Amino acid sequence: MRDERLKYLAKNIKAERIRKGLSQSQLAELIGISKRSISQIEQSRQIPSAFKVFDIANALDIPIEELFKNISK
């Protein structure tokens, strides 16, 4: 179950980043992490901390809840 939730989070982050017209490098720069970290998060290979998810939502100018849509309880 945990892996499925991580996959949805990763998919949502990537979709929102693309919707905003940002590259991985641009998003990484906005939140102060490496492009490699963003890439790994979007591929479900790295679990972002709650603070990092908060930073991503802020950088994308969306409510944090948007990054957790379609994730079952």
Side-chain angles (χ1 to χ4, degrees), residues 13-26:
I13 290 170
K14 183 176 182 177
E16 289 295 331
R17 175 183 60 76
I18 291 169
R19 192 171 72 77
K20 294 289 183 170
L22 295 172
S23 68
Q24 288 180 338
S25 295
Q26 290 169 317

Side-chain angles (χ1 to χ4, degrees), residues 1-14 24 36-48 71:
M1 170 115 104
R2 177 177 157 196
D3 291 343
E4 284 301 309
R5 292 182 295 187
L6 184 57
K7 286 179 186 177
Y8 277 110
L9 175 62
K11 179 182 166 189
N12 290 340
I13 290 170
K14 183 176 182 177
Q24 288 180 338
R36 184 171 189 262
S37 288
I38 289 293
S39 177
Q40 289 183 332
I41 290 169
E42 288 185 356
Q43 294 175 40
S44 304
R45 293 185 178 167
Q46 181 179 356
I47 301 171
I71 299 177

